């Protein structure tokens, strides 16, 4: 079924993109030095490392309930992040640590290829009995991604081979053939991992298995009903009450809206795009565009986060965008970025990459502290210290929602943001034939091979703090390729110079195309105007009606109490205020802040009256100079209020 | 320990207040004709009536789990409501129905006086083993209130005698004496019921038992820990995680803030006020004032609802007032009215009655549909169809939060609003020595006895639609008493005429006092100016910063989609708009609506962009004439949006 069109667009591998300076170099340094070690320490302390040896050593924690069925995915994502890091920054100690863990993983594999820390030891009869709720396939997917990444990074096939055996076991167990179970993942993720496995090995069976999971999902009779009946349960007993939660309420080809648990949804949709790309299935492309449009035009937060609701960690309904209680899980924004990148390669248009950039720089990056060792699960658009958006009451507040924490009971987000940062090079360029797409602007040097001509591009820029990007071509000999520069949707005014000469081009699907025979030393300068913009919400978004947000370039900004004092709800940004972007070299290693005049409009503090009549009151207005910081940096100073959307007056 | 100061303030009994016309006559008619029968039908259909005979008939529902441990309280509140109704509107059929039920209740009483439908039959070993979570004492309290009310209304002591035997059993089981358990109610309510029992019987033991429950609450060692240990549980296992939930986190005399489950809190505080009144305990008076000030100055919604959070059905922290997700349970506003009335009699000041009036006319009355057979549990200050403020996801919305329903799994609110309406006469006047306080203005005729002189007052008014109230004295002979007219806190301009002559008086604790020798035919006219007021929130209430609400007289208003179209979040009320109150005789039997010019400010509908830059957009402003209706009448037409707080511009 594979579509072997080799002329299609594909990401340029991260091993070809050297990031030694600029925005992402610093984020990657912190990831290597702080985040990867901090996550390993947590894996160790929580027993996740030792768990791989439980079957052999019988060293089972006394409190068996501390071992959880999603643990293996944390190992998987950590190994994947390490692989990306090793690919660009070799580190023998880290490699040795990873290899010891890979040995432990390999040692836990059962004779039939099955691989899981939880079930063989703690619940052997539970194996493959509840695909809906238990995470065996989800874990498998993350381990497969790690196996592929580790093989690509180091050439070492050990983990990949282990996972190929596990994938073989899964393929033998699930499918439409007689004697197989017609199951599919409760928590999608395996689909996209199998496509990676297919691409890495060239073995079509993995693509076919991914395609099977996508076709089977939501078909009648529902597999989740069948397995529930085997467990003596009814459909109504499902705790989430609806298969929308796991996107299995209808066959995928019939689905029209992004639904349910947001991370599941975006991983699944990414898998659909992968299969569509590999098979050339036009209906899956149409489905992908339909879901994409629904999600990004009706259900996406300004910061690229998705899934407003805590109770299902997911979607509610169109235009429902609570701010303080937004869930907008870090993993969901990351998953949206994954999906966006795949959509581009399926349907090359900058609109996908614009969203990818939004999700990466805002709703994903906010999941990590500036120092690299604190994590957010939820990414609200407003915060008030002491509020618990989970809806619990005071006294038992979950501080994880206005202050980043070391770890979570379900720590899916920490290794996810780590692997995204480690692999940012892979999101920077795409190539299609002799066209080189520049997707993300940041300082780096990337090597390309176009029609067997090698050359490299040096990208020099202060982006995202400044909109000027300079490219220098390094080539021994003249080389013919088309440079496709993304003109971001936030930019309405730009200049393009080639070797100092102004060039005007028509955009094609959001890209400025520069086909040319290039020579070493050729220089392209792209100047994206980056004014501070006031963002207005769609008229159906009731929660922020009458409010504005501030954006500059790809970055969404916020006001914090640390800069602006308390009671940010009473702060108004006049529509006439001049908004200035100022680079502050002292703040967080140097960031552009936004300043301007704002009003604080409020009644005098009379503590004996909660409500007063306007006819008898003077409302005080005072002016002050506000300072807004990039949203992704919020909650890195003393705890306090934060708001993205501000009253407009 | 009783304080026998008979000169203290007390409510005038409802049997002395005849309500044959005006606002409450109509509400009482609907209550008698629709609400009381509808609730009985539900009691019957859900098995609550039959449950009283389970022990004798062994006719136990197949699904035992349908029987719940709070069922008896529903019977209690229905009987109480019936008693109040019979007191003013005799009805032989209703009386016969009540008496059959009373017989069933009596038949369920055990030899030792214990009375409960659930435990003896379904869980005999559970009796009195979990005061914290199970509702035996709560049920007892509601049944005692019913017993007292039924005795007062009909003179029939049967139910009262049953409850006296149950109270005797409770008194023998709990207390500080050797051999007794030092327990107290997990859900307070019994305290105030025991004070009613004391007042009805004159037996001090019931006052002492109420006082014991109040003193013991929150003392170390905590009884809830002791009984949990007996059940093999630890404190940490408590599902609510904190004894703040049930106000047992500290001895009551040390408490400083309204905390936890709002209905529990207000019933408890009402009981404290009752005990303080009966014992003259100054420290309990101080405690009551402290809790009152905290609740009404920092934690009360504009409509008199309390308890913003769904998860604990209760309080969160000061100034936390979410609108769309407000819980503000109907029962909590009613309980606040109960407490307010008691605070007045403990500390005669109109500030308590002002809040009582606010809670009754707004956050309580909204719990009942205009037709009398639909109920709200939560009373949000904004509604958007399809939103589930419980935080569940779309597809399984609980429509009970934007549309009233017939009944609830835990139907505490329906009989509560029914008993409040049936007994409104008891909230109308208070008497202290020769002073007659007029608390609520509404059309009625009330009989008084001051120093053995009988007389009556005829109150003629269109209140709450109009602020003019006329009193006529009916007396055979001249009678000396002081008429104390409450000047509501919402009124800043009033005129007082006695027999046509303008009188100026200094207010004393919020009342205009008219001491006089009155003769039959004397006429007092009070004209309360009732302009439409724009209400502004305290500067700490972040959720409605920059917004205004409309109030006229005691009524809070709201905009509904039925009158004003959708997207109410985009509606702004200019500060210069003239606001008119207009009586609409067609709407809901005749109500004053508020009209004025409003703006609808919004972007054009571009469904391809959730967020747009102001620099590139025109924001459209259109003017329309809005219509606001009283909040308590919302959700009686087609489902749609509703907002109390509106953007101001």
């Amino acid at each position: 079924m594979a579509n072997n069109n080799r002329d299609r667009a594909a990401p340029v591998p991260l091993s070809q993109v050297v990031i030694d300076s600029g925005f992402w170099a610093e984020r990657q340094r912190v990831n290597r030095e702080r985040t990867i070690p901090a996550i390993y320490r947590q894996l160790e302390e929580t027993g996740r490392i030792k768990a791989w040896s439980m079957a052999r050593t019988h060293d089972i924690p006394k409190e068996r309930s501390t071992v959880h069925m999603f643990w293996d995915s944390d190992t998987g994502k950590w190994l994947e992040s390490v692989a990306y890091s090793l690919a660009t920054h070799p580190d023998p100690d880290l490699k040795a640590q990873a290899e010891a863990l890979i040995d432990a993983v390999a040692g836990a594999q059962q004779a039939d290829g099955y691989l899981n820390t939880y079930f063989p030891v703690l619940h052997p009869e539970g194996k493959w009995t509840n695909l809906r709720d238990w995470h065996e396939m989800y874990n498998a997917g993350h381990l497969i991604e790690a196996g592929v990444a580790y093989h690509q990074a180091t050439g070492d096939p050990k983990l990949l081979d282990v996972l190929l055996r596990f994938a073989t076991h899964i393929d033998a167990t699930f499918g439409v053939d007689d004697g197989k179970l017609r199951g599919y993942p409760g928590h999608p993720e395996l689909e996209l991992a199998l496509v990676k496995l297919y691409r890495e090995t060239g073995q079509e069976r993995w693509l076919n298995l991914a395609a099977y999971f996508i076709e089977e999902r939501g078909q009648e009779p529902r597999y989740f009903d069948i397995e529930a009946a085997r467990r003596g349960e009814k459909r109504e007993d499902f705790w989430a009450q609806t298969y929308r939660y796991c996107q299995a309420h209808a066959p995928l080809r019939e689905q029209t809206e992004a639904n349910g648990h947001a991370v599941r949804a975006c991983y699944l949709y990414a898998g659909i795009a992968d299969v569509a790309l590999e098979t050339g299935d036009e209906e899956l492309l149409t489905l992908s565009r339909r879901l994409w449009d629904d999600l990004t035009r009706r259900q996406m937060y300004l910061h690229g986060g998705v899934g407003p609701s805590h109770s299902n960690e997911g979607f509610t309904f169109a235009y429902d965008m609570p701010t303080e209680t937004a869930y907008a899980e870090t993993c969901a924004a990351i998953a949206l970025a994954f999906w966006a990148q795949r959509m581009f390669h399926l349907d090359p248009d900058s609109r996908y990459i614009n969203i990818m950039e939004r999700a990466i720089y805002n709703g994903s990056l906010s999941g990590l502290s500036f120092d690299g060792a604190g994590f957010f699960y939820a990414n609200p658009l407003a915060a008030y210290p002491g509020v618990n958006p989970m809806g619990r009451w005071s006294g038992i507040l979950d501080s994880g929602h206005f202050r980043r924490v070391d770890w979570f009971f379900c720590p899916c987000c920490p290794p996810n943001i780590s692997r995204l940062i480690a692999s940012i090079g892979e999101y920077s360029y795409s190539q299609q034939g002799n066209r080189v797409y520049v997707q993300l602007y940041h300082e780096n040097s990337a090597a390309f091979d176009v029609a067997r001509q090698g050359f490299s591009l040096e990208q020099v820029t202060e982006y995202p703090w400044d909109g000027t990007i300079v490219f220098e071509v390094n080539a021994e000999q003249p080389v013919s390729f088309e440079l496709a520069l993304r003109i971001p949707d936030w930019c309405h005014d730009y200049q393009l110079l080639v070797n100092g000469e102004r060039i005007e081009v028509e955009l094609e699907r959001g890209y400025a195309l520069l086909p040319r025979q290039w020579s070493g030393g050729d220089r392209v300068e792209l100047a994206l105007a980056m004014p501070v913009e006031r963002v207005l919400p769609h008229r159906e978004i009731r929660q922020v009606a009458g409010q504005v947000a501030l954006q500059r370039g790809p970055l969404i900004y916020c006001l914090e109490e640390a800069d602006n004092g308390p009671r940010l709800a009473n702060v108004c940004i006049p529509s006439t205020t001049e908004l200035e972007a100022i680079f502050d070299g002292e703040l967080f290693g140097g960031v552009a802040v936004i300043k301007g005049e704002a009003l604080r409009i409020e009644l005098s503090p009379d503590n004996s009256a909660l409500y007063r009549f306007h006819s008898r009151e003077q409302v005080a207005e005072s002016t002050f100079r506000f300072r807004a910081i990039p949203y992704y940096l919020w909650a890195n100073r003393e705890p306090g209020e934060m708001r993205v959307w501000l009253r407009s007056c």
Side-chain angles (χ1 to χ4, degrees), chain A:
Chain A
M1 71 190 293
N3 164 24
N4 291 313
N5 173 9
R6 288 292 125 198
D7 198 32
R8 69 191 196 205
V12 171
L14 67 106
S15 56
Q16 292 174 217
V17 182
V18 177
I19 306 171
D20 279 339
S21 56
F23 185 88
W24 286 104
E26 178 59 15
R27 294 291 89 210
Q28 290 196 333
R29 182 190 65 75
V30 171
N31 186 45
R32 285 194 308 277
E33 294 178 4
R34 296 293 309 276
T35 313
I36 288 175
I39 294 171
Y40 187 82
R41 210 158 39 243
Q42 293 287 351
L43 294 179
E44 207 161 34
E45 282 174 12
T46 56
R48 281 163 166 82
I49 305 290
K50 245 164 62 175
W52 290 103
S53 316
M54 278 193 312
R56 284 184 296 105
T57 61
H58 299 286
D59 183 9
I60 298 162
K62 263 183 233 134
E63 295 261 11
R64 286 163 160 255
S65 61
T66 58
V67 183
H68 207 281
M69 48 186 71
F70 49 67
W71 274 18
D72 303 358
S73 65
D74 305 320
T75 293
K77 275 186 281 189
W78 183 81
L79 282 170
E80 188 186 347
S81 182
V82 168
Y84 298 142
S85 187
L86 293 177
T88 56
H89 292 81
D91 175 337
D93 292 345
L94 182 59
K95 189 155 183 265
Q97 195 175 42
E99 280 170 11
L101 179 52
I102 289 169
D103 286 345
V105 172
Q109 189 159 39
Q110 300 205 286
D112 64 358
Y114 183 80
L115 180 64
N116 188 291
T117 54
Y118 184 86
F119 286 97
V121 182
L122 297 174
H123 191 193
E125 70 287 5
K127 181 177 151 184
W128 299 135
T129 59
N130 187 346
L131 299 187
R132 190 192 67 194
D133 299 337
W134 299 344
H135 283 52
E136 290 153 290
M137 288 193 178
Y138 170 78
N139 289 329
H142 277 303
L143 289 166
I144 288 169
E145 285 199 87
V148 170
Y150 206 81
H151 182 239
Q152 289 177 349
T154 65
D156 179 349
K158 182 164 189 176
L159 185 60
L160 182 63
D161 287 346
V162 167
L163 273 307
L164 277 166
R165 282 194 293 275
F166 190 15
T168 303
H169 169 82
I170 294 171
D171 195 21
T173 309
F174 299 96
V176 295
D177 301 338
D178 280 354
K180 289 186 179 179
L181 300 169
R182 292 185 73 143
Y184 42 86
H187 192 314
E189 143 67 18
L190 181 54
E191 298 85 347
L192 72 85
L194 286 168
V195 178
K196 285 192 175 182
L197 197 59
Y198 159 64
R199 289 175 185 153
E200 186 65 10
T201 62
Q203 297 166 8
E204 266 191 44
R205 61 187 300 193
W206 311 126
L207 175 61
N208 294 341
L209 185 57
Y212 154 75
F213 284 139
I214 284 165
E215 291 312 316
E216 191 63 24
R217 192 168 204 87
Q219 301 288 351
E220 291 282 6
R222 301 272 162 77
Y223 185 75
F224 296 157
D225 289 340
I226 294 167
E227 60 167 16
R230 274 195 215 112
R231 297 192 307 271
E233 294 164 19
K234 283 176 276 182
R235 183 190 286 201
E236 309 84 81
D237 300 332
F238 180 31
W239 66 272
Q241 296 185 47
T242 164
Y243 291 150
R244 280 177 195 273
Y245 176 72
C246 38
Q247 299 82 38
H249 55 293
L252 280 168
R253 289 174 194 268
E254 295 168 17
Q255 295 193 21
T256 55
E257 289 171 2
N259 252 305
H261 185 276
V263 179
R264 290 173 203 238
C266 292
Y267 282 163
L268 173 64
Y269 304 156
I272 293 171
D274 274 335
V275 169
L277 178 63
E278 295 297 344
T279 61
D281 185 323
E282 286 287 329
E283 198 180 65
L284 287 186
L285 167 62
T286 305
L287 167 68
S288 293
R289 283 195 185 125
R290 190 164 71 226
L291 295 173
W292 178 267
D293 287 348
D294 176 66
L295 187 146
T296 60
R297 293 176 180 178
R298 308 203 306 154
Q299 305 205 67
M300 184 185 69
Y301 279 107
L302 180 61
H303 62 11
V306 290
S309 167
H310 283 248
S311 63
N312 66 340
E313 302 190 307
F315 298 105
T316 54
F317 52 89
Y319 307 113
D320 186 32
M321 305 281 176
T323 58
E324 212 177 72
T325 62
Y327 199 64
E329 184 181 338
T330 304
C331 283
I334 294 170
L336 176 60
F338 291 165
W339 182 26
Q341 193 203 26
R342 285 161 173 84
M343 287 303 294
F344 172 85
H345 295 106
L346 179 61
D347 181 26
D349 191 302
S350 73
R351 71 192 190 103
Y352 304 110
I353 304 299
N354 291 332
I355 299 281
M356 183 182 92
E357 182 177 51
R358 182 189 293 268
I360 290 175
Y361 276 98
N362 300 289
S364 299
L365 213 42
S366 56
L368 184 66
S369 63
F370 184 66
D371 71 6
F375 305 97
F376 270 136
Y377 211 104
N379 294 278
L381 284 90
Y384 193 85
V387 168
N388 180 348
M390 296 295 282
R392 298 211 190 96
W393 50 96
S394 59
I396 48 163
L397 296 172
D398 181 352
S399 65
H401 291 86
F402 67 94
R403 217 183 291 200
R404 293 183 187 82
V405 298
D406 291 348
W407 197 239
F408 306 96
F409 169 72
C410 171
C412 49
C413 303
N416 221 353
I417 185 67
S418 176
R419 67 175 175 151
L420 177 70
I421 291 171
S423 61
I424 199 73
E426 195 141 327
Y427 298 85
S428 303
Y429 300 93
S430 298
Q431 193 178 329
Q432 181 173 30
N434 72 344
R435 181 181 291 179
V436 172
Y437 286 102
V438 185
Q439 309 287 33
L440 294 183
Y441 297 111
H442 62 97
E443 203 146 281
N444 69 81
S445 167
F448 302 89
D449 181 338
V450 170
R452 299 176 192 239
Q453 310 164 85
F455 65 94
S456 74
L457 286 176
E458 196 78 30
Q459 196 181 143
V460 181
T461 181
E462 298 294 324
Y463 196 95
W465 312 123
D466 185 86
T468 302
I469 307 115
V470 173
F471 295 88
E472 271 190 28
V473 178
N474 291 316
E476 308 258 318
Q477 296 166 359
V479 53
S480 195
F481 67 93
E482 186 175 48
L483 188 63
L485 299 172
R486 182 174 63 94
I487 305 304
D489 56 353
W490 53 258
C491 179
H492 296 108
D493 182 21
Y494 66 94
Q495 281 195 18
L496 196 49
L497 288 87
V498 176
N499 294 329
E501 217 170 288
R502 180 113 179 237
I503 304 272
E504 300 279 349
V505 295
E506 285 282 304
L507 297 192
E508 193 183 306
R509 302 196 80 186
Y511 291 85
L513 302 182
L514 301 175
R516 193 179 167 105
Q517 170 127 324
W518 300 90
S519 302
D522 277 352
R523 186 183 154 93
V524 176
E525 187 178 330
L526 174 63
L528 301 168
M530 219 183 235
V532 178
E533 297 280 5
R534 290 174 164 82
V535 186
L536 300 181
H538 192 284
R539 67 179 196 167
E540 296 285 352
I541 305 178
R542 67 199 189 281
Q543 288 99 343
V544 294
Q547 300 185 22
V548 291
L550 304 177
Q551 180 174 349
R552 181 173 176 267
L555 297 177
I556 306 303
Y557 278 70
C558 67
L559 262 64
E560 276 200 305
E561 186 173 342
D563 298 307
N564 303 287
R567 300 190 305 283
L568 297 177
N570 299 338
V571 171
C572 288
I573 310 291
S575 58
T576 51
T577 290
E578 198 188 327
L579 301 171
E580 259 185 300
I582 297 168
F583 190 78
D584 183 334
E586 301 298 304
L587 192 67
F588 299 117
V591 300
V593 299
I594 297 173
K595 292 187 177 182
E597 295 288 320
L599 298 177
R600 185 173 259 108
I601 305 177
E602 55 190 16
L603 283 177
S604 59
D606 171 353
N607 287 320
S608 73
L610 271 171
Y611 307 104
R612 291 189 269 168
F613 290 163
H614 200 176
S615 59
R616 308 177 66 80
E617 298 291 339
Q618 284 290 334
V619 179
E621 282 193 15
S622 58
T623 302
F624 73 104
R625 195 159 164 81
F626 76 83
R627 177 162 89 156
I629 65 163
Y631 169 78
Y632 80 85
L633 285 166
W634 86 277
N636 278 298
R637 295 173 293 174
E638 61 272 31
E641 294 180 38
M642 180 278 290
R643 276 177 84 102
V644 169
W645 291 98
L646 299 156
R647 282 166 54 196
S648 174
C649 50

